[in-house]
Amino acid sequence: MSDFDVVIAGAGMGGLAAAIELQAEGLRVLVVERADKPGGKMRQVDVDGHKIDSGPTVLTMRWVFDALFETAGTRLEDHVGLKRADVLARHVWDNGEPNRTLDLYADTKQSHEAIADFAGIREANGYLEFCEETRQIFNTLRDPYMCAQRPGLFDLPLRVGLSKLGALYRTRPFMRMWDALGRHFRDPRLHQLFGRYATYCGSSPYQAAATLMLVAHVEQEGVWLVNGGMHNLARALENAARDLGVEFSYSTAVTKITSKNNAVTGVLLSNGSYINTTQVVTNSDVAAIATGLFGPQVQSAVPLMASDERSLSALTWSAFTKTSGFPLAHHSVFFSLDYKAEFNDLFNHGKVPEKPTVYICAQDRDDAGGGVGGAEERLLILVNAPATGDQSDFDKSIVDECRKRTFALLQRCGLEIDPSEERMIATTPADFNQLFPATGGALYGRASHGWRASFKRPAADTPIKGLYLAGGSAHPGPGIPMATLSGRLAAERVLAARPRVHGVGGIPQKYLEAAQ
């Protein structure tokens, strides 16, 4: 196989973004992917001939993708159809009360009115205060943290500016998210609803820093539905990369990264090929490096993370079936009655919760729930699970018991789902560990617990010259847009190390202004 300037191990969102950035700068790029298609965790599962998105289902921060497609010389809307959701999600509580369902809207005025009807005017006004606080947190951290190389512990105050240290303090890094939410909400249901945003980073609201409340503002900026499913976005990025000249090798794995004198010299592939290259971007979980899956010569590039520091995994069912009763929206959440017990089970006892909260993405429905009309539909049903997939095989008895509890909760909330197992495929933490080795099934890298967590997440560059990191386990963190940003940051480091180029310019200002 011919030599390349840069080899990217993994065609997840970070790897695809890095490939576009680097090829656009004139480098020759090869993307090597062990699966047979792009997307990484943005995968699909075939159920009886129906493709079901079975990874990330929420698209936010559209400006990140607008900027990336512009780098590729094209436009996002020329590749995928997008619709902005008016209803962000539908929430229901298993409490048997008539008033137990609440829709959250993109329009804060609508949400304010809905919360007032649901829980009273005091809670509704608390929601507006919460929105303002999350907006300020996001604006404070977007440029100096999210869109920039990972800062050191003492770098972030300098980036924010000494005159804005008050704003940095108000991001509440030293307060737990659950405690901070109590400043805005007394109703335990709303406390629970907005605490759920910690799980977007695979974390517990009882241990995560209150800074993570910014996720609520990210959704408020816009949630987008992708025509044909989220996997189409990965396909669109692959096509944009190919148009630039990026080469792809699927069903092939990088089995070893070689180095000499602490500098990358090449990669060995699972098909026996060896590629000479001095720059490699890994789009795997960083644990794959630390545990030696890329060989001993680069194993020291990132520290080994203890298993109790992992983020959440999940137990999911990809289903093609009929539903009745409860009016599902595109995104629906069914809350357990004991949230604290749920996270105690997950993080303290390392077991699937006895009383799980259930998320359903009804992929054939629009944001408000229309578009199905009683026909069979594609569902992703998800409950949080511990990242112990390398310690437990999650046998059929565990899956069946969790399924029983999950469907019982849904039934108590009024949702009936055809229980036919032939049209329902389960994925466990052990399965996720097989898909994403060395993770135990953790889907978000390190859990974002405590104020130091953000500074423990590895940066794009490593102590080994020519080895760079991208993906949700690296800075700036998990989630589709953040993983995509990680690819841009890795590309920036690659280019900075090459004397003939000056590095990418980052996110164009017009897209940052669109995010205000």
Side-chain angles (χ1 to χ4, degrees), residues 325-353:
F326 183 85
L328 288 169
H330 191 87
H331 301 292
S332 300
V333 183
F334 299 79
F335 283 108
S336 68
L337 289 180
D338 195 339
Y339 216 38
K340 194 164 189 177
E342 179 175 353
F343 287 97
N344 190 43
D345 283 343
L346 288 165
F347 285 104
N348 296 333
H349 299 298
K351 66 178 185 177
V352 177

Side-chain angles (χ1 to χ4, degrees), residues 51-164:
K51 302 291 186 182
I52 298 172
D53 280 340
S54 299
T57 57
V58 180
L59 180 63
T60 58
M61 293 170 62
R62 173 179 169 165
W63 47 275
V64 172
F65 304 96
D66 284 329
L68 184 58
F69 276 94
E70 183 177 277
T71 296
T74 184
R75 300 186 308 162
L76 171 62
E77 56 267 36
D78 291 337
H79 294 264
V80 292
L82 298 173
K83 178 184 181 296
R84 184 168 182 164
D86 293 322
V87 179
L88 301 180
R90 182 159 293 159
H91 309 87
V92 60
W93 283 263
D94 177 24
N95 56 15
E97 298 176 4
N99 184 29
R100 60 178 179 172
T101 301
L102 173 65
D103 285 357
L104 204 63
Y105 296 89
D107 180 72
T108 55
K109 183 179 179 181
Q110 279 185 279
S111 291
H112 179 266
E113 293 173 353
I115 292 172
D117 290 341
F118 180 75
I121 191 62
R122 187 208 172 277
E123 299 299 295
N125 290 339
Y127 164 74
L128 294 181
E129 295 166 359
F130 171 75
C131 288
E132 177 58 23
E133 180 172 21
T134 59
R135 183 189 68 81
Q136 291 180 13
I137 294 173
F138 176 81
N139 288 341
T140 298
L141 295 177
R142 185 199 61 192
D143 293 352
Y145 183 80
M146 295 166 60
C147 295
Q149 299 294 337
R150 196 205 73 181
L153 188 59
F154 301 105
D155 296 334
L156 189 56
L158 297 176
R159 291 186 186 181
V160 171
L162 297 179
S163 64
K164 298 180 180 179

Side-chain angles (χ1 to χ4, degrees), residues 30-43:
L30 171 69
V31 178
V32 179
E33 171 55 55
R34 66 197 296 263
D36 61 357
K37 58 182 68 68
K41 293 184 177 72
M42 195 184 290
R43 67 193 189 101

